[in-house]
């Protein structure tokens, strides 16, 4: 059994709130009586893409489980690389502002992480080079090994108007790629700050809960002037479980903050 913890949108800033919530989630994972196959953090690591925020994030994210971290729209690629460098899993020596694409080749699975951020913008897109790298990873992985593909921006609307406007676009190219690789098992995303499950390209698309906040759904909104997010709901984590047949199950947990 392969268990991958999925954390997202920690939005580390100079204050204590995001740090305390992130520390609580990561401590929960550190103290599990089980060795996770991976901890995925699917973007919006630093709230403003600042060097000091990445320094703080690096300390919080360093732990005993294999870690994979991708950028989101709040991140800055060059600062992300400079600050989180020892934690990254990049091949070669990419330019500072190139997409931060990474691969974790685990025992019985592959986790391919694609940078869906667009420098200076809030919506998302996978560059042609990112799709080519993903195609190579899938081609090089044996067909009996499940591949999970992670990025920050969900490539479909989630019935969350605020986030849907800034989702991942150009998704037809990703769907066409998925159709060529039957061992692509599921897509994992963040950005929406709400635990959600839907489909994309006929495969599961699983969205991790937000660490720093939880999105208000349209039917929870008291009115147009109310905030987009709940700040009082606890942070959460998704656990993606692959069994010996490659079948995926996802559990969602909330984590109390001291
Ligand atoms: Fe976010
Ligand atoms: Fe985001």
């Amino acid at each position: 059994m392969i268990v991958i913890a999925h954390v997202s949108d920690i939005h580390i800033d100079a204050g204590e709130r995001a740090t305390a919530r992130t520390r609580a989630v990561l401590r929960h994972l550190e103290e599990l009586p089980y060795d996770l196959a991976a901890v995925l953090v699917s973007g919006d690591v630093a709230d403003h893409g600042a060097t000091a925020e990445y320094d703080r994030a690096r300390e919080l994210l360093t732990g005993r489980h294999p870690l994979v971290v991708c950028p989101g729209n709040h991140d800055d690629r060059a600062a992300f690389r400079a600050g989180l460098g020892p934690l990254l899993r990049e091949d070669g020596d990419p330019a500072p502002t190139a997409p931060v694409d990474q691969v974790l080749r685990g025992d019985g699975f592959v986790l391919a992480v694609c940078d869906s951020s667009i420098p200076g913008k809030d919506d998302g897109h996978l560059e042609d080079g990112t799709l080519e790298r993903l195609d190579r990873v899938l081609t090089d992985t044996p067909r009996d090994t499940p591949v999970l593909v992670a990025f920050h921006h969900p490539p479909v609307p989630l019935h969350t108007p605020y986030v849907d406007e800034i989702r991942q676009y150009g998704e037809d190219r990703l769907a066409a790629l998925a159709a060529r690789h039957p061992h692509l098992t599921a897509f994992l995303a963040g950005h929406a700050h709400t635990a959600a499950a839907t489909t994309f390209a006929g495969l599961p698309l699983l969205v991790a809960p937000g660490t720093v906040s939880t999105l208000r759904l349209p039917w929870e909104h008291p009115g147009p002037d109310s905030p987009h997010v709940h700040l009082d709901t606890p942070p959460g984590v998704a656990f993606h479980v692959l069994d010996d047949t490659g079948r995926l199950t996802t559990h969602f947990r909330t984590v109390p903050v001291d």
Side-chain angles (χ1 to χ4, degrees):
M1 187 174 70
I2 292 161
V3 183
I4 297 169
H6 182 184
V7 176
S8 201
D9 293 270
I10 62 176
H11 286 263
I12 298 300
D13 57 14
E16 287 307 312
R17 187 175 171 282
T19 293
R21 292 168 78 91
T22 302
R23 184 178 289 124
V25 171
L26 272 293
R27 184 186 298 147
H28 178 73
L29 302 181
E30 282 296 291
E31 293 178 352
L32 289 174
Y34 188 87
D35 293 332
L36 297 167
V39 173
L40 166 67
V41 181
S42 57
D44 283 354
V45 171
D47 200 35
H48 309 94
T51 298
E53 296 171 344
Y54 290 113
D55 288 342
R56 194 183 278 209
R58 185 179 62 250
E59 286 179 23
L60 289 164
L61 297 177
T62 300
R64 70 184 182 90
H65 308 293
L67 180 76
V68 192
V69 193
C70 75
N73 51 302
H74 280 253
D75 290 300
D76 175 90
R77 287 175 177 168
F80 182 96
R81 276 198 174 89
L84 303 182
L87 303 178
L88 301 184
R89 298 171 181 276
E90 293 189 278
D91 287 334
D93 188 17
T97 56
V100 188
D101 301 320
Q102 302 162 82
V103 182
L104 170 64
R105 292 179 178 84
D107 186 7
F109 76 102
V110 169
L111 176 56
V113 176
C114 300
D115 185 347
S116 63
S117 69
I118 306 171
K121 296 189 71 178
D122 281 331
D123 58 334
H125 181 261
L126 298 181
E127 294 188 12
D128 289 346
T130 293
L131 285 168
E132 287 162 15
R133 275 187 285 278
L134 177 59
D135 197 38
R136 274 201 300 278
V137 169
L138 286 156
T139 300
D140 293 345
T141 302
R143 288 289 177 103
D144 59 356
T145 301
V147 180
L148 302 173
V149 175
F151 32 63
H152 182 64
H153 299 77
V156 294
L158 301 172
H159 308 289
T160 55
Y162 179 66
V163 175
D164 290 350
E165 280 180 27
I166 52 171
R167 68 178 179 91
Q168 182 188 142
Y169 292 95
E171 70 278 11
D172 290 352
R173 300 167 306 140
L174 178 61
L177 185 153
R180 296 198 299 275
H181 298 287
H183 54 332
L184 200 171
T185 301
F187 299 99
L188 313 176
H191 190 48
H193 293 221
T194 186
T198 182
T199 58
F200 171 69
L203 294 168
L205 167 62
L206 301 155
V207 181
T211 301
V212 73
S213 63
T214 300
L215 188 72
R216 262 184 217 267
L217 300 170
W219 49 95
E220 295 176 328
H221 246 290
D225 296 332
S226 58
H228 289 299
V229 294
H230 300 283
L231 295 173
D232 51 354
T233 49
V237 58
F239 290 105
H240 305 299
V241 184
L242 285 166
D243 69 15
D244 293 343
T245 70
R247 192 173 65 88
L248 179 70
T249 304
T250 295
H251 297 268
F252 295 101
R253 277 285 179 277
T254 55
V255 177
V257 181
D258 296 337

